[in-house]
PDB file of all heavy atoms in Angstrom:
ATOM      1  N   ARG C 169     -19.994   4.875-162.962  1.00  0.00           N
ATOM      2  CA  ARG C 169     -20.184   3.565-163.606  1.00  0.00           C
ATOM      3  C   ARG C 169     -18.847   2.990-164.047  1.00  0.00           C
ATOM      4  O   ARG C 169     -18.580   1.789-163.886  1.00  0.00           O
ATOM      5  CB  ARG C 169     -21.125   3.703-164.815  1.00  0.00           C
ATOM      6  CG  ARG C 169     -22.555   4.053-164.461  1.00  0.00           C
ATOM      7  CD  ARG C 169     -23.491   3.847-165.636  1.00  0.00           C
ATOM      8  NE  ARG C 169     -23.153   4.661-166.796  1.00  0.00           N
ATOM      9  CZ  ARG C 169     -23.610   5.895-166.998  1.00  0.00           C
ATOM     10  NH1 ARG C 169     -24.409   6.457-166.105  1.00  0.00           N
ATOM     11  NH2 ARG C 169     -23.264   6.567-168.084  1.00  0.00           N
ATOM     12  N   LYS C 170     -17.989   3.825-164.615  1.00  0.00           N
ATOM     13  CA  LYS C 170     -16.675   3.356-165.042  1.00  0.00           C
ATOM     14  C   LYS C 170     -15.818   2.967-163.838  1.00  0.00           C
ATOM     15  O   LYS C 170     -15.049   1.997-163.896  1.00  0.00           O
ATOM     16  CB  LYS C 170     -15.961   4.446-165.857  1.00  0.00           C
ATOM     17  CG  LYS C 170     -16.721   4.890-167.100  1.00  0.00           C
ATOM     18  CD  LYS C 170     -16.999   3.720-168.028  1.00  0.00           C
ATOM     19  CE  LYS C 170     -17.794   4.140-169.247  1.00  0.00           C
ATOM     20  NZ  LYS C 170     -18.151   2.993-170.109  1.00  0.00           N
ATOM     21  N   PHE C 171     -15.965   3.703-162.760  1.00  0.00           N
ATOM     22  CA  PHE C 171     -15.230   3.419-161.531  1.00  0.00           C
ATOM     23  C   PHE C 171     -15.604   2.041-160.994  1.00  0.00           C
ATOM     24  O   PHE C 171     -14.738   1.229-160.633  1.00  0.00           O
ATOM     25  CB  PHE C 171     -15.543   4.498-160.494  1.00  0.00           C
ATOM     26  CG  PHE C 171     -14.913   4.269-159.150  1.00  0.00           C
ATOM     27  CD1 PHE C 171     -13.610   4.657-158.905  1.00  0.00           C
ATOM     28  CD2 PHE C 171     -15.633   3.675-158.125  1.00  0.00           C
ATOM     29  CE1 PHE C 171     -13.025   4.453-157.660  1.00  0.00           C
ATOM     30  CE2 PHE C 171     -15.060   3.461-156.879  1.00  0.00           C
ATOM     31  CZ  PHE C 171     -13.753   3.855-156.646  1.00  0.00           C
ATOM     32  N   ASP C 172     -16.892   1.763-160.945  1.00  0.00           N
ATOM     33  CA  ASP C 172     -17.356   0.472-160.426  1.00  0.00           C
ATOM     34  C   ASP C 172     -16.935  -0.687-161.329  1.00  0.00           C
ATOM     35  O   ASP C 172     -16.682  -1.797-160.860  1.00  0.00           O
ATOM     36  CB  ASP C 172     -18.882   0.472-160.287  1.00  0.00           C
ATOM     37  CG  ASP C 172     -19.370   1.363-159.159  1.00  0.00           C
ATOM     38  OD1 ASP C 172     -18.553   1.674-158.268  1.00  0.00           O
ATOM     39  OD2 ASP C 172     -20.542   1.762-159.174  1.00  0.00           O
ATOM     40  N   LYS C 173     -16.840  -0.426-162.630  1.00  0.00           N
ATOM     41  CA  LYS C 173     -16.579  -1.498-163.591  1.00  0.00           C
ATOM     42  C   LYS C 173     -15.107  -1.850-163.714  1.00  0.00           C
ATOM     43  O   LYS C 173     -14.745  -3.033-163.804  1.00  0.00           O
ATOM     44  CB  LYS C 173     -17.137  -1.099-164.959  1.00  0.00           C
ATOM     45  CG  LYS C 173     -16.998  -2.165-166.026  1.00  0.00           C
ATOM     46  CD  LYS C 173     -17.627  -1.709-167.337  1.00  0.00           C
ATOM     47  CE  LYS C 173     -17.500  -2.773-168.411  1.00  0.00           C
ATOM     48  NZ  LYS C 173     -18.105  -2.337-169.706  1.00  0.00           N
ATOM     49  N   ALA C 174     -14.238  -0.836-163.715  1.00  0.00           N
ATOM     50  CA  ALA C 174     -12.854  -1.140-164.105  1.00  0.00           C
ATOM     51  C   ALA C 174     -11.771  -0.376-163.352  1.00  0.00           C
ATOM     52  O   ALA C 174     -10.596  -0.507-163.690  1.00  0.00           O
ATOM     53  CB  ALA C 174     -12.688  -0.877-165.608  1.00  0.00           C
ATOM     54  N   CYS C 175     -12.108   0.427-162.356  1.00  0.00           N
ATOM     55  CA  CYS C 175     -11.084   1.260-161.715  1.00  0.00           C
ATOM     56  C   CYS C 175     -10.087   0.398-160.937  1.00  0.00           C
ATOM     57  O   CYS C 175     -10.464  -0.531-160.225  1.00  0.00           O
ATOM     58  CB  CYS C 175     -11.731   2.273-160.770  1.00  0.00           C
ATOM     59  SG  CYS C 175     -10.568   3.510-160.164  1.00  0.00           S
ATOM     60  N   ARG C 176      -8.819   0.738-161.091  1.00  0.00           N
ATOM     61  CA  ARG C 176      -7.768   0.019-160.377  1.00  0.00           C
ATOM     62  C   ARG C 176      -7.731   0.449-158.914  1.00  0.00           C
ATOM     63  O   ARG C 176      -7.937   1.624-158.613  1.00  0.00           O
ATOM     64  CB  ARG C 176      -6.416   0.290-161.049  1.00  0.00           C
ATOM     65  CG  ARG C 176      -6.255  -0.504-162.326  1.00  0.00           C
ATOM     66  CD  ARG C 176      -5.443   0.197-163.375  1.00  0.00           C
ATOM     67  NE  ARG C 176      -5.473  -0.595-164.607  1.00  0.00           N
ATOM     68  CZ  ARG C 176      -6.508  -0.610-165.456  1.00  0.00           C
ATOM     69  NH1 ARG C 176      -7.592   0.121-165.222  1.00  0.00           N
ATOM     70  NH2 ARG C 176      -6.466  -1.363-166.545  1.00  0.00           N
ATOM     71  N   PRO C 177      -7.437  -0.483-158.017  1.00  0.00           N
ATOM     72  CA  PRO C 177      -7.415  -0.140-156.588  1.00  0.00           C
ATOM     73  C   PRO C 177      -6.294   0.841-156.264  1.00  0.00           C
ATOM     74  O   PRO C 177      -5.266   0.890-156.951  1.00  0.00           O
ATOM     75  CB  PRO C 177      -7.190  -1.496-155.907  1.00  0.00           C
ATOM     76  CG  PRO C 177      -6.534  -2.344-156.950  1.00  0.00           C
ATOM     77  CD  PRO C 177      -7.112  -1.899-158.258  1.00  0.00           C
ATOM     78  N   GLU C 178      -6.506   1.600-155.227  1.00  0.00           N
ATOM     79  CA  GLU C 178      -5.502   2.574-154.812  1.00  0.00           C
ATOM     80  C   GLU C 178      -4.287   1.866-154.234  1.00  0.00           C
ATOM     81  O   GLU C 178      -4.403   0.911-153.469  1.00  0.00           O
ATOM     82  CB  GLU C 178      -6.101   3.527-153.770  1.00  0.00           C
ATOM     83  CG  GLU C 178      -5.167   4.628-153.333  1.00  0.00           C
ATOM     84  CD  GLU C 178      -5.796   5.545-152.304  1.00  0.00           C
ATOM     85  OE1 GLU C 178      -5.675   5.253-151.104  1.00  0.00           O
ATOM     86  OE2 GLU C 178      -6.427   6.538-152.716  1.00  0.00           O
ATOM     87  N   GLU C 179      -3.102   2.353-154.611  1.00  0.00           N
ATOM     88  CA  GLU C 179      -1.846   1.848-154.086  1.00  0.00           C
ATOM     89  C   GLU C 179      -1.105   2.986-153.392  1.00  0.00           C
ATOM     90  O   GLU C 179      -1.435   4.172-153.591  1.00  0.00           O
ATOM     91  CB  GLU C 179      -1.005   1.254-155.219  1.00  0.00           C
ATOM     92  CG  GLU C 179      -1.653   0.050-155.898  1.00  0.00           C
ATOM     93  CD  GLU C 179      -0.760  -0.586-156.942  1.00  0.00           C
ATOM     94  OE1 GLU C 179       0.457  -0.300-156.939  1.00  0.00           O
ATOM     95  OE2 GLU C 179      -1.272  -1.376-157.763  1.00  0.00           O
ATOM     96  N   PRO C 180      -0.106   2.683-152.563  1.00  0.00           N
ATOM     97  CA  PRO C 180       0.614   3.756-151.850  1.00  0.00           C
ATOM     98  C   PRO C 180       1.133   4.864-152.760  1.00  0.00           C
ATOM     99  O   PRO C 180       1.093   6.041-152.396  1.00  0.00           O
ATOM    100  CB  PRO C 180       1.757   2.999-151.162  1.00  0.00           C
ATOM    101  CG  PRO C 180       1.203   1.631-150.923  1.00  0.00           C
ATOM    102  CD  PRO C 180       0.336   1.353-152.127  1.00  0.00           C
ATOM    103  N   ILE C 181       1.599   4.522-153.967  1.00  0.00           N
ATOM    104  CA  ILE C 181       2.142   5.535-154.866  1.00  0.00           C
ATOM    105  C   ILE C 181       1.088   6.559-155.277  1.00  0.00           C
ATOM    106  O   ILE C 181       1.410   7.721-155.562  1.00  0.00           O
ATOM    107  CB  ILE C 181       2.779   4.877-156.115  1.00  0.00           C
ATOM    108  CG1 ILE C 181       3.594   5.913-156.905  1.00  0.00           C
ATOM    109  CG2 ILE C 181       1.729   4.209-156.980  1.00  0.00           C
ATOM    110  CD1 ILE C 181       4.369   5.315-158.054  1.00  0.00           C
ATOM    111  N   ASP C 182      -0.184   6.165-155.291  1.00  0.00           N
ATOM    112  CA  ASP C 182      -1.250   7.096-155.673  1.00  0.00           C
ATOM    113  C   ASP C 182      -1.387   8.204-154.640  1.00  0.00           C
ATOM    114  O   ASP C 182      -1.532   9.382-154.983  1.00  0.00           O
ATOM    115  CB  ASP C 182      -2.565   6.338-155.832  1.00  0.00           C
ATOM    116  CG  ASP C 182      -2.487   5.265-156.899  1.00  0.00           C
ATOM    117  OD1 ASP C 182      -1.999   5.564-158.005  1.00  0.00           O
ATOM    118  OD2 ASP C 182      -2.901   4.128-156.631  1.00  0.00           O
TER     119      ASP C 182
END
Side-chain angles (χ1 to χ4, degrees):
R169 293 194 300 271
K170 301 302 178 184
F171 176 84
D172 289 340
K173 183 178 180 180
C175 190
R176 283 147 186 78
E178 183 180 89
E179 297 184 16
I181 192 174
D182 300 312

